Amino acid sequence: MVIVYESKTGFTKRYAEMLAAKTGLKVYHVKEISKINQDEGIIFLGWTKVGKIQGLNKVRRYNVKAICGSGTGRTAEPDVKAVIARNNIEGIPFFYLRGGCLPLKKIKGMDRIMLSMFVKILKSRKEKDERTEESIDIILNGFDGVKEENLEPLLEWLKNQPTFR
Ligand SMILES: Cc1cc2nc3c(=O)[nH]c(=O)nc-3n(C[C@H](O)[C@H](O)[C@H](O)COP(=O)(O)O)c2cc1C
C-alpha cells in the first residue's frame, strides 16, 4: 500500500505526510504515479474544487483502495453521498478531510476569480446562517483545519486491511 496525493496550496500534502509518518507507508505526489506498480494498493488524497476531487483522474487506472477528499467545509459539501456520485467513486471507501485555505489575497489566477465569485454569492444571500458566515470568513481570511485526529476514521479502516504492511 502507498499514499498518493494532489495538493495545490499544501493542506492535503500535510495530511499525506502525516499519514505517511503514522503508518510508515511511502508517499508520492500524483505526478510520480508512473513509479507505482499497477497492482500496488493506493490511498489517494486530493483537494476538492467545485465538488471535484483533483488528481483523481490520474489514478483511476490504478489499484485505488481508498479516497480522501479535502475541503474547507466542516463536513463534505453538500454531503458524502453527493461527493461520491459527483466523482464516480461508488464502491471505494471515501473519507472527508477538513483542509484549509490561504487568504483570498494570496490566491492567484482562476482559483481566485472563482472564490471571489463564490464569496459574492454567499454575501448576497438574504438569510445568512452560521455556516454561510463561516464560509465567507474562511475564504477572505484563510483557515487551517488540518488536524491529526481527522485521519482517525481512515486509520481505523486501514487497520482492517489485509494488504496493509
Ligand atoms: C476554486 C476553488 C474551489 C473550491 N471548491 C471547493 C468545494 O467545492 N468544496 C470544498 O469543500 N472545498 C473547496 N475548495 C477548498 C479547497 O478544497 C481546500 O481549501 C483544500 O483543503 C485545499 O487543499 P490544498 O491546500 O491541498 O490545495 C475550493 C478551493 C478553490 C480554490
Side-chain angles (χ1 to χ4, degrees):
M1 192 90 85
V2 295
I3 301 161
V4 178
Y5 72 92
E6 173 64 295
S7 176
K8 182 136 188 201
T9 50
F11 294 93
T12 316
K13 182 180 184 199
R14 274 166 56 205
Y15 274 122
E17 286 171 350
M18 218 180 252
L19 184 62
K22 279 189 165 283
T23 59
L25 297 175
K26 268 191 152 182
V27 58
Y28 296 88
H29 186 271
V30 74
K31 269 196 242 160
E32 303 173 285
I33 191 73
S34 61
K35 292 182 187 168
I36 298 167
N37 193 300
Q38 293 270 348
D39 304 328
E40 185 74 80
I42 289 175
I43 301 171
F44 180 75
L45 290 80
W47 67 286
T48 314
K49 181 172 177 174
V50 203
K52 287 273 190 186
I53 300 167
Q54 303 300 291
L56 190 57
N57 286 340
K58 296 188 183 125
V59 299
R60 284 193 195 270
R61 290 182 297 111
Y62 288 78
N63 186 14
V64 181
K65 297 286 190 194
I67 296 169
C68 304
S70 92
T72 45
R74 292 183 201 174
T75 53
E77 282 170 356
D79 56 52
V80 167
K81 225 176 140 188
V83 174
I84 289 173
R86 181 108 208 256
N87 290 279
N88 294 311
I89 53 171
E90 286 88 354
I92 305 174
F94 172 77
F95 301 89
Y96 177 75
L97 296 172
R98 192 174 203 191
C101 60
L102 300 176
L104 186 60
K105 272 190 279 179
K106 291 203 174 164
I107 297 177
K108 296 190 181 80
M110 202 51 209
D111 285 354
R112 177 158 169 180
I113 294 168
M114 285 165 89
L115 285 181
S116 303
M117 276 163 52
F118 189 49
V119 167
K120 258 194 193 160
I121 294 167
L122 292 175
K123 280 187 172 171
S124 71
R125 282 187 189 165
K126 277 206 182 111
E127 307 272 311
K128 292 196 237 352
D129 61 12
E130 191 203 335
R131 282 184 85 144
T132 306
E133 296 284 7
E134 186 186 57
S135 298
I136 295 169
D137 180 60
I138 281 174
I139 296 170
L140 293 178
N141 302 315
F143 169 75
D144 182 356
V146 178
K147 284 190 197 149
E148 250 184 45
E149 67 196 50
N150 294 340
L151 286 172
E152 271 164 26
L154 174 67
L155 290 168
E156 201 50 43
W157 168 85
L158 197 52
K159 265 196 231 159
N160 297 315
Q161 296 309 301
T163 50
F164 175 44
R165 293 185 283 266

